[in-house]
């Protein structure tokens, strides 16, 4: 599981003008972000509380198959 400070470091390193980066350490909140914001790119940690990254990927692809 990614530590919140590591997530913030990753967000800051990817940040650039015109790019919105949304983050979450909670899998449910992360799925809500994907379903509501329709991002172009999703980065997942394989080890998360309550759900694995692969389980999250399956849910995302069920929601929008073009996100593969």
């Amino acid at each position: 599981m990614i530590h919140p400070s590591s997530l913030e470091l990753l967000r800051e390193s990817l940040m650039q003008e015109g790019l919105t980066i949304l983050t979450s350490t909670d899998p449910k909140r992360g799925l809500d972000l994907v379903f509501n914001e329709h991002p172009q790119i999703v980065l997942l940690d394989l080890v998360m509380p309550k759900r694995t990254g692969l389980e999250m990927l399956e849910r995302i692809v069920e929601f929008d198959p073009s996100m593969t």
Side-chain angles (χ1 to χ4, degrees):
M1 182 172 79
I2 194 164
H3 191 275
S5 63
S6 297
L7 184 60
E8 181 62 20
L9 179 65
L10 180 61
R11 186 188 73 77
E12 288 176 7
S13 67
L14 295 173
M15 187 174 276
Q16 56 184 280
E17 189 174 329
L19 183 64
T20 301
I21 299 175
L22 307 169
T23 63
S24 175
T25 57
D26 176 74
K28 182 181 179 342
R29 170 86 172 111
L31 282 177
D32 288 344
L33 285 172
V34 169
F35 297 160
N36 294 318
E37 301 295 329
H38 305 276
Q40 293 180 327
I41 298 171
V42 177
L43 296 176
L44 297 168
D45 193 345
L46 291 176
V47 180
M48 293 182 283
K50 303 175 190 167
R51 223 173 253 195
T52 69
L54 292 176
E55 290 170 332
M56 296 274 294
L57 180 59
E58 288 173 0
R59 293 285 313 275
I60 292 167
V61 171
E62 286 172 12
F63 170 72
D64 184 353
S66 71
M67 293 184 108
T68 57

